[in-house]
């Protein structure tokens, strides 16, 4: 039971055989939904990061949520190259959030979650159970922003000098339509 753990846990305690389960809980990673090599993978597998933790599939997440009456697991500590700082995975039962933007040069956005009670108001005689609303806020990667700014600025010049305003609009429109599918969705804040 994680409520019985003495806190803070030191490295020696965490690496003890008796607390292997706690280390596994802290360092295990979900199988990526969008990784073609792992597509359809389920169960628990050895982690490519070594002895601590494991990889777990969508079925493990769904079973854990059902067994414990949960609708969502929020986890952290794993940064992905060029990510938005948040991934919604395993049939919407798991959110991975990473708050440090541009972590170790990864060019990733950072994210935080705003969690608040909602939807539990009394409706005359029937009472609804309160639910939590989870809303992400994205902090844009400075690396990505610089690259995008340089790309926008490069559209205003050609080798032979500045472009006409008409040509600049045509190029920007073409560039916007090419990159529209690559832009991450942003949540209002």
């Amino acid at each position: 039971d994680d409520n019985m753990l003495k806190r803070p846990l030191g490295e020696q305690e965490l690496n003890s055989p008796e607390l292997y389960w706690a280390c596994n809980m802290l360092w295990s990673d979900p199988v990526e939904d969008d990784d073609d090599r792992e597509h359809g993978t389920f169960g628990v597998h050895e982690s490519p990061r070594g002895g601590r933790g494991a990889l777990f599939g969508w079925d493990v997440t769904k079973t854990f949520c059902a067994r414990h009456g949960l609708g969502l697991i929020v986890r952290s500590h794993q940064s992905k190259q060029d990510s938005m700082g948040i991934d919604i995975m395993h049939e919407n039962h798991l959110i991975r959030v990473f708050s440090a933007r541009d972590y170790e040069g990864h060019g990733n956005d950072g994210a935080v979650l705003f969690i608040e009670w909602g939807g539990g108001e009394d409706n005359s005689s029937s009472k609804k159970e309160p639910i939590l609303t989870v809303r992400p806020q994205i902090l844009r990667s400075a690396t990505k922003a610089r690259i995008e700014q340089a790309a926008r600025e490069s559209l205003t010049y050609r080798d032979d000098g500045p472009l006409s305003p008409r040509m600049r609009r045509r190029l920007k429109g073409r560039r916007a339509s090419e990159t529209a599918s690559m832009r991450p969705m942003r949540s209002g804040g």
Side-chain angles (χ1 to χ4, degrees), residues 103-118:
Y103 181 71
E104 293 184 345
H106 287 183
N108 61 291
D109 296 338
V112 294
L113 298 179
F114 292 102
I115 302 173
E116 59 190 1
W117 289 105

Side-chain angles (χ1 to χ4, degrees), residues 82 107 141-154 175:
D82 299 320
S141 161
T143 303
K144 285 181 188 176
R146 280 193 295 273
I147 291 168
E148 290 170 358
Q149 180 63 32
R152 282 190 298 273
E153 289 171 0
S154 72
R175 174 75 176 150

